[in-house]
């Protein structure tokens, strides 16, 4: 008497048979027939031919039969839209049934039928159901809105379902709230325009938090995920949300736990990092994460991928928990590999002994991939924790002694890295390595071995023989090995020129004449030319000191990491890629991005993400406040689509006081000139040849720039602000792929075009670059006002520095104020907005001062002589439309000049003073 | 079998999954999340079946995994086991269940007692009765509990014998190294309940030593505030069997290892290798260790094992190369031992990996952490329930490296 009988059917005339059964008068037979139809459907057979017959069974009181027919309809309505219409009447009738179960079922099924004609009929019943007295129907209807949105978004908006859904957010039943949230967040995700369908405010958040405690686990996940999209107004709000969410960490459902972790990780950024709350929270986060690791392997895997992110962001959380990441031999391989990754991330001097003995254990396991990764991990430990290097090396040597082929090869690859990190420390083991020369068959291992031989050729007596043995099969080697062999032999020759000349000639001719590979040939020619023209230079180039390799090689880029932290628990966190990189059907998301960044174009996606996320890494201390600034607006980081234009930021940040006050104070002028700021500069492009340009300063030292030194200054030419760079490459490798990104700043400076540095910037080379800037970028008040934070990317890394923009480059060409207007404005600005400075030791008379200042767009409005003092009245205007009125008092014979200035935005005063001083001193 | 909740996805997406499946040797090694050009396949592997969910958009994968787990649990609950043939036999119920559990990608009703009110679990008696009377197992009324504030409990429960049983189960996860010292040990504990009480009982359970817990997670019925403040579990229980809480002890406290194993294994080319393993109890507070089973996955080159156990049975599967020694209970007076020779394939490459021993055991009447239930009180109902607490310690992932 089991259902499996439905699967066994007589093959011939099956459909026909079913048809007659469906039309049978007996209820029982009908039901059996429908069951058979469903059975065929579930295994993928096409039973759509029976459509009219099945639909005929729809009008029945039997709920089971009704359900089965509904199931059938969902599957086949699409292929038979005309006939599906026949079912509509029954649906509409069912939506009015007295039994709430049937009402809900009908509205649910209708939503699943993806036929346009039917959706038209759906609207009315749905509207009723959204207001149904029974919460079960309401919550089903809420989901139905999302279904409808998927089919026809416009219809949903036109019919006002969105507002009804918003009303459901404050429903008395928590389940209804949860489903409404779920529906809204799904619609948000598919929304083409990229804008939020619903704005979260503190009241909605409060309602959600209340519902959170009462709804089902699945509802909790939806609510937590939408909470993560919300950006709290201030610390206090963030704190209270965190406090109310923390209990979710003790939930039995892993999805709830991880979603709660996401919200907490995100909001923790807003809270001051030294507060007690953050440190207690850090402690509270560890146990639930550990507990996730004791659940099913699939949950473990997702948890581990997320922990990998969390450990990179906040290593403190799990630093005590190393042991839980120890691998059990029957863990699935995907769990093993992830655990290994995290072990290395957590490795520190305190626990390195434990870690190493574990890794050594793993290196004797069966699974080849895992063993390789374990060996590699030992090498990474050596590089990361200097104190352990010696022990790591001896462990690796032990492993090499096992003679297991792939272990040896992997060990040699990592030993090469250890040599690079700690030069001249462990060379004693070279002889052991050389013993295993014959067993190496993988290109990477061979290349590494050859590199070692070349690098330490002077210590290996038979280096020439060894390299010669490799040379025999040169043509058959992998490119990587060929290149390495070429370099190694050249190194050997430079070290021991006497007896290796023949060898080097042989390899050069092999590389240049017998090879098709352009890379190899070019490198060969370069070496040849170098050796033949200037052996000393060749020595300098080939045997130059190498830059040290960095500690952790596979860390995620900080900006990406920050973005991913916002995506904890989602697919993005499993792939370690931003969702825009792999999720389909979100055109809105991607499209809104380019508007916000204007650098580089598509060739440098890494930096583009920097600008999207607008989070700049915390590595450099000088950018400390930058980080906190960005976090005040986390929604932009989470989902760039929510903030379609940077102007939102502009209004929100502190600068508005500057703008608005200005507009109020000098309405006439600003109204007239505001719109023409940019234009007039061009029209009147009076060349100001000798406008003041401060001397170049070092912005980025070679030390912190990994060999890239940047000096620079700012100038204003023909009404355009230029950023003048001098790039010097002090590293040993050429640099390519330069790109620049300016952080939001007080004056909205932003590059007009990508940075154009000639590629590549060769070692020792330097280049001057001028980058025109416009002031149309996003505005963010900086402290000091003229500070500008810059990110420069090249092939080596991304570098961050801050510099001061001299105020005078912001003085625009049309800063000359009408005399009368000047007078009335001067009077209008209250006395407390007047600042006085003394510029000392300037030996200029009024003429010279006026001339110098005019060249820098500070215009003299009037000049008077009062009691043998020269009074100069000058006006200037900044790029953002702020007027500054100045009064200079110059006494002949007195080297000090008194500057009084009046402006509505006093914040700019110090900068103006500095500009005066710099210009007059020049 | 397939079921679609949104637009229909072609069966061919499964090909990506099958492709992955071909690549791996061990069915458990299939990655839980697979990306295909248009969809994401999230899968779990339970009782020799893969349950695969196909997603089109960015979803929390844990959400899906947990849901799939819930599906399997529900099947288990309904059909008392979850195998391929059982699912085939009950496909109509399965289909109805899936339909009730998920709507448009949103989980609908996943609490088993709510589901059971909607769709009655099949029993032989009911199947016969249904055939005779023409009734179905689909309820026509809305489940009562689903929308109440205690969605996990239905109203109007009635029992003649009111009982509440608690099983405190602790699983010891440990890794022990060659020398016998503990590399890592922790306890995964849980409290499973079987509660058959009439009406709406409000229970509170207290422990002698609640400080032991490092981390806890509760059934939604537990009032978290009360736990935070007083360390008392206060709850209105679901009807029937459920897991009240699970906890984790380990990172800070020392975990007692209740068993020791002395082992000596060697592989030699000529004349085969030798094995000698002894198992003994330790730190068991006088309780006997029972159901001891040792599982040793041998290297591939091992052909056969000829052993002599002092008690219990042993078997060696030459295909999977797993040596199993079913020891049974350990008598303190006579410590079990197994010894003998291993035949290694002649000329096979050197044994490059050391096997490890997987140990299973149970100890009744003991919670290895020392956890003790203090008392259980009931409010809200007048009758006197019958109460009972049982402690069991088991081996979880207990491994000894050789």
């Amino acid at each position: 008497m089991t259902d499996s009988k439905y699967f066994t059917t007589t093959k011939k005339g099956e459909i026909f048979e079913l048809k007659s059964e469906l039309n049978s008068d007996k209820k029982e037979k009908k039901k059996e027939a429908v069951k058979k139809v469903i059975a065929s459907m579930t295994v993928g057979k096409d039973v759509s031919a029976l459509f009219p017959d099945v639909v005929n069974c729809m009008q029945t009181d039997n709920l089971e039969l009704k359900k089965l027919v509904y199931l059938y309809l969902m599957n086949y309505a699409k292929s038979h839209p005309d006939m599906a219409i026949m079912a509509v009447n029954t649906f509409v009738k069912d939506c009015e049934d007295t039994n709430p179960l049937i009402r809900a079922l009908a509205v649910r099924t209708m939503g699943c039928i993806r036929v346009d004609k039917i959706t038209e009929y759906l609207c009315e019943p749905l509207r009723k159901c959204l207001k149904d007295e029974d919460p079960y129907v309401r919550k089903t209807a809420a989901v139905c809105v999302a279904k409808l949105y998927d089919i026809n978004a416009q219809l949903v908006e036109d019919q006002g379902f969105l507002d009804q859904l918003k009303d459901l957010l404050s429903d008395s039943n928590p389940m209804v709230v949860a489903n409404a949230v779920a529906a809204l967040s799904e619609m948000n995700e598919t929304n083409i325009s990229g804008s939020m369908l619903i704005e979260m405010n503190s009241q909605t958040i409060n309602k959600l938090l209340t519902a959170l405690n009462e709804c089902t686990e699945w509802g909790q996940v939806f609510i937590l995920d939408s909470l993560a999209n919300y950006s709290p107004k201030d610390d206090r709000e963030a704190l209270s949300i965190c406090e109310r969410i923390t209990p979710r960490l003790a939930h039995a459902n892993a999805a709830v736990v991880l979603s709660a972790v996401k919200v907490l990780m995100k909001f923790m950024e807003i809270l001051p990092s030294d507060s007690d709350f953050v440190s207690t929270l850090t402690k509270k986060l560890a146990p639930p994460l550990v507990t996730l690791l004791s659940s099913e392997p699939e949950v473990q895997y997702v948890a581990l991928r997320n922990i990998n992110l969390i450990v990179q962001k906040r290593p403190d959380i799990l630093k005590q928990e190393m042991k839980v990441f120890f691998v059990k031999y029957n863990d699935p391989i995907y769990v093993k590999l992830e655990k290994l990754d995290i072990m290395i991330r957590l490795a520190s001097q305190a626990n390195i002994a434990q870690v190493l003995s574990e890794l050594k254990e793993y290196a004797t396991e069966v699974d080849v991939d895992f063993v390789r990764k374990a060996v590699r991990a030992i090498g990474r430990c050596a590089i990361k924790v200097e104190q352990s290097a010696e022990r790591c090396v001896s462990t690796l040597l032990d492993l090499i002694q096992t003679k297991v082929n792939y272990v040896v090869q992997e060990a040699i690859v990592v030993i090469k890295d250890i040599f690079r990190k700690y030069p001249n420390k462990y060379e004693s083991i070279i002889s052991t390595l050389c013993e295993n020369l014959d067993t190496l068959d993988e290109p990477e291992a061979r290349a590494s071995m050859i590199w070692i031989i070349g690098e330490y050729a002077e210590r290996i007596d038979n280096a020439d023989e060894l390299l010669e043995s490799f040379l025999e099969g040169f043509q058959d080697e992998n490119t990587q090995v060929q290149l390495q062999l070429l370099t190694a032999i050249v190194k050997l020759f430079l070290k021991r020129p006497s007896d290796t000349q023949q060898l080097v000639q042989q390899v050069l001719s092999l590389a240049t004449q017998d090879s098709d590979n352009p890379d190899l040939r070019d490198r060969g020619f370069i070496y040849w030319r170098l050796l033949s023209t200037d052996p000393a230079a060749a020595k300098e180039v080939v045997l130059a000191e190498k830059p040290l390799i960095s500690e952790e090689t596979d860390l995620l880029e900080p900006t990406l990491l920050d973005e991913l932290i916002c995506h904890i628990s989602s697919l993005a966190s499993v792939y370690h890629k931003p969702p825009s990189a792999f999720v389909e059907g979100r055109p809105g998301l991607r499209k809104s991005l380019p508007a916000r960044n204007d650098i580089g174009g598509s060739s440098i996606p890494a930096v583009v993400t920097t600008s999207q996320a607008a989070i700049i890494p915390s590595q450099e201390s000088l950018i400390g406040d930058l980080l906190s600034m960005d976090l005040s607006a986390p929604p932009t980081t989470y989902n760039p689509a929510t903030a379609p234009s940077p102007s939102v930021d502009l209004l929100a940040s502190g600068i508005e006081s500057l703008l608005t006050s200005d507009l109020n104070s000098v309405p006439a002028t600003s109204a007239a000139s505001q719109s023409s700021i940019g234009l007039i500069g061009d029209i009147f492009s009076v060349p100001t040849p000798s406008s003041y340009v401060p001397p170049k300063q070092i912005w980025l030292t070679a030390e912190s720039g990994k060999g890239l030194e940047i000096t620079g200054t700012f100038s204003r030419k023909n009404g355009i602000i230029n950023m003048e760079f001098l790039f010097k490459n002090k590293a040993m490798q050429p640099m390519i792929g330069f790109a620049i990104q300016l952080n939001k700043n007080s004056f909205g400076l932003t590059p007009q075009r990508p940075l154009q540095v000639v590629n590549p910037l060769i070692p020792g080379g330097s280049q001057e670059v001028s980058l025109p800037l416009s002031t149309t970028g996003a505005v963010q008040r900086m402290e000091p006002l003229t500070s500008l934070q810059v990110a420069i990317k090249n092939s080596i890394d991304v570098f961050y520095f801050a510099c001061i923009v001299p105020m005078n480059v912001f003085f625009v060409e049309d800063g000359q104020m009408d005399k009368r207007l000047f007078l009335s404005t001067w009077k209008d600005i209250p006395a407390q907005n007047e600042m006085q400075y003394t510029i000392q030791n300037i030996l200029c008379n009024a003429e010279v001062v006026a001339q110098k200042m005019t060249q820098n767009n500070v215009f003299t409005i009037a000049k008077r002589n009062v009691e043998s003092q020269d009074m100069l009245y000058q006006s200037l205007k900044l790029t953002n439309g702020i007027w500054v009125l100045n009064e200079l008092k110059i006494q002949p014979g007195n080297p000090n000049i008194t500057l009084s200035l009046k402006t509505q935005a006093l914040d700019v005063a110090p900068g103006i003073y500095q500009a005066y001083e710099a210009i007059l001193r020049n | 079998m397939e079921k679609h909740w949104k637009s229909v996805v072609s069966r061919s997406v499964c090909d990506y999954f099958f492709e992955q499946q071909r690549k791996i040797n061990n069915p458990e090694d299939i990655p839980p999340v697979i990306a295909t050009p248009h969809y994401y396949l999230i899968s779990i592997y339970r009782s020799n079946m893969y349950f695969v969910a196909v997603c089109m958009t960015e979803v929390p994968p844990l959400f899906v995994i947990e849901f799939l787990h819930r599906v399997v649990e529900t099947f288990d609950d309904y059909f008392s086991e979850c195998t391929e043939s059982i699912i085939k036999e009950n496909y109509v119920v399965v289909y109805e269940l899936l339909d009730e559990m998920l709507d448009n990608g949103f989980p609908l009703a996943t609490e088993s007692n709510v589901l059971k009110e909607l769709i009655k679990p099949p029993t032989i008696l009911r199947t016969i009765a249904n055939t005779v009377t023409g009734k179905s197992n689909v309820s026509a009324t809305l489940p009562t509990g689903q929308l109440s504030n205690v969605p996990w409990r239905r109203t109007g429960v009635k029992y003649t014998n009111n009982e509440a049983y608690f099983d405190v189960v602790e699983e010891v996860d440990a890794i022990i190294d060659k020398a016998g010292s503990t590399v890592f040990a922790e306890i995964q504990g849980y409290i499973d309940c079987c509660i058959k009480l009439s009406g709406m009982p409000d229970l509170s359970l207290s422990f002698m030593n609640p400080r032991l817990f490092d981390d806890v997670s509760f059934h939604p019925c537990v009032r978290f505030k009360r736990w935070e403040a007083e360390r008392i579990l206060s709850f209105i229980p679901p009807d029937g069997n459920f897991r009240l809480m699970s906890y984790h002890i380990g990172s800070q406290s020392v975990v007692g290892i209740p068993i020791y194993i002395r082992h000596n294994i060697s592989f030699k080319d000529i004349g085969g290798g030798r094995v000698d393993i002894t198992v003994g109890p330790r730190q068991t507070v006088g309780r006997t260790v029972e159901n001891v089973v040792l599982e040793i996955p041998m290297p591939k080159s091992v052909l056969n094992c000829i052993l002599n156990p002092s008690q219990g049975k042993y078997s060696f599967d030459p295909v999977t190369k797993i040596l199993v020694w079913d020891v049974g209970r350990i008598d303190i007076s006579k410590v079990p031992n197994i010894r003998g020779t291993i035949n290694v394939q002649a000329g096979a490459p050197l044994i490059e990996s050391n096997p490890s021993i997987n140990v299973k055991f149970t100890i009744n009447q003991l919670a290895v952490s020392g956890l003790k239930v203090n008392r259980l009180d009931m409010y809200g109902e007048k009758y006197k329930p019958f109460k009972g607490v049982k402690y069991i310690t088991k081996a979880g992932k207990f491994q000894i490296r050789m």
Side-chain angles (χ1 to χ4, degrees), chain A residues 298, chain B residues 17-18 21 25-30 43-52 72 76 81-87:
Chain A
E298 295 90 358
Chain B
F17 186 81
F18 298 137
Q21 205 185 347
N25 312 321
N26 195 338
E28 281 140 32
D29 281 348
I30 201 153
S43 63
I44 63 168
Y45 182 72
R46 291 288 176 283
S47 44
N48 296 321
M49 274 184 292
Y50 293 104
F51 294 81
V52 187
V72 177
D76 264 338
E81 59 175 331
C82 180
T83 62
E84 198 177 340
S85 58
I86 288 268
I87 287 188

Side-chain angles (χ1 to χ4, degrees), chain A residues 206-459:
Chain A
N206 245 326
K207 277 175 204 150
L208 292 186
L209 284 170
T210 319
L212 181 64
N213 291 324
E214 291 168 8
C215 66
T216 63
E217 49 208 308
W218 315 111
Q220 294 185 9
V221 175
F222 289 126
I223 292 182
L224 285 170
D225 282 351
S226 46
L227 279 178
N229 290 344
Y230 174 68
S231 54
K233 288 195 299 287
D234 48 26
D235 291 10
R236 270 223 334 273
E237 194 181 5
L239 192 77
S240 83
I241 294 178
C242 285
E243 270 171 354
R244 293 177 71 174
I245 284 173
T246 319
R248 295 298 125 213
L249 292 175
H251 201 283
N253 187 316
V256 176
V257 174
L258 208 53
S259 288
V261 169
K262 160 162 71 180
V263 181
L264 292 175
M265 280 295 287
K266 214 178 146 188
F267 287 9
M268 247 156 89
E269 295 287 325
I270 303 167
L271 301 170
S273 57
D274 51 349
S275 68
D276 290 346
F277 186 74
V278 169
S279 58
T280 27
L281 206 53
T282 313
K283 280 193 203 106
K284 275 188 184 165
L285 276 174
L289 289 174
V290 170
T291 303
L292 287 184
L293 295 181
S294 52
S295 32
E296 294 83 356
E298 295 90 358
V299 176
Q300 280 185 47
Y301 172 73
V302 178
L304 284 166
R305 290 294 284 174
N306 280 290
I307 288 172
N308 200 332
L309 294 174
I310 295 170
V311 176
Q312 287 183 56
K313 183 75 192 166
R314 291 184 181 268
D316 290 354
I317 294 179
L318 288 164
K319 66 176 180 218
Q320 305 291 346
E321 307 288 348
M322 175 58 97
K323 282 187 176 180
V324 298
F325 298 105
F326 286 179
V327 172
K328 303 189 177 90
Y329 88 93
N330 52 0
D331 281 336
I333 182 73
Y334 54 83
V335 168
K336 283 183 177 172
L337 295 177
E338 286 305 315
K339 280 188 173 173
L340 206 53
D341 250 350
I342 294 169
M343 278 173 70
I344 300 162
R345 294 215 193 286
L346 287 176
S348 67
Q349 207 184 333
N351 54 23
I352 192 72
Q354 252 181 353
V355 174
L356 266 184
S357 71
E358 278 295 303
L359 290 176
K360 198 176 169 186
E361 198 70 47
Y362 304 157
T364 61
E365 285 233 13
V366 191
D367 191 289
V368 177
D369 282 344
F370 181 60
V371 171
R372 281 172 178 274
K373 194 155 183 178
V375 175
R376 207 158 269 221
I378 297 176
R380 275 166 69 185
C381 284
I383 290 165
K384 189 173 174 195
V385 186
E386 186 162 1
Q387 292 81 355
S388 74
E390 191 151 358
R391 213 171 336 176
C392 294
V393 171
S394 74
T395 310
L396 287 171
L397 276 184
D398 286 351
L399 290 175
I400 290 178
Q401 302 299 352
T402 62
K403 305 271 178 200
V404 179
N405 189 293
Y406 53 84
V407 174
V408 174
Q409 308 214 30
E410 206 64 44
I412 284 180
V413 173
V414 297
I415 285 177
K416 178 202 74 179
D417 286 342
I418 297 178
F419 279 177
R420 284 201 65 185
K421 172 76 182 177
Y422 309 110
N424 304 318
K425 240 178 142 177
Y426 300 110
E427 282 68 26
S428 49
I429 63 169
I430 288 177
S431 58
T432 324
L433 301 185
C434 290
E435 287 166 21
N436 293 291
L437 215 54
D438 306 335
T439 55
L440 307 179
D441 52 10
E442 289 162 29
E444 202 183 352
R446 285 175 84 87
S448 301
M449 192 64 221
I450 293 169
W451 182 88
I452 294 173
I453 297 173
E455 193 64 20
Y456 299 100
E458 68 272 29
R459 308 189 189 198

